[in-house]
Amino acid sequence: GLVILAGDIYPIDVVSHIPILLEERNTPYIFVPSKHDLGAAASTKRPTSCVLVRTPASDFDGKDLYDNLVKEAKAYDPTG
């Protein structure tokens, strides 16, 4: 799957271990600026720190969008 992490979590220690675990498991991840926007995108009224998007079936309509996001996440360099 693909993990989406909110960038405005405080304290950062709440999620700081997650990227390390994901890199060990070769799972792509990306950051979004707002926990409120991430929660809204996940259809919840609560701010959300992270979301896992499971790999969709090949006949899923949004598969192209998912594949593009995974490609972008794999190209992401958190050190740069």
Side-chain angles (χ1 to χ4, degrees):
L2 170 69
V3 176
I4 305 169
L5 299 162
D8 63 346
I9 299 299
Y10 182 82
I12 193 66
D13 296 344
V14 172
V15 294
S16 62
H17 65 285
I18 295 176
I20 296 165
L21 294 172
L22 296 172
E23 289 173 7
E24 287 176 353
R25 289 166 177 75
N26 202 26
T27 302
Y29 64 95
I30 56 174
F31 285 93
V32 294
S34 170
K35 61 186 173 188
H36 296 284
D37 292 342
L38 184 57
S43 299
T44 180
K45 295 179 183 177
R46 298 182 184 268
T48 303
S49 59
C50 64
V51 171
L52 169 67
V53 180
R54 294 181 59 188
T55 305
S58 59
D59 60 344
F60 179 65
D61 289 339
K63 183 85 165 85
D64 292 337
L65 176 61
Y66 174 83
D67 291 339
N68 287 337
L69 286 172
V70 168
K71 182 179 175 183
E72 182 178 330
K74 286 183 178 181
Y76 171 70
D77 181 10
T79 62

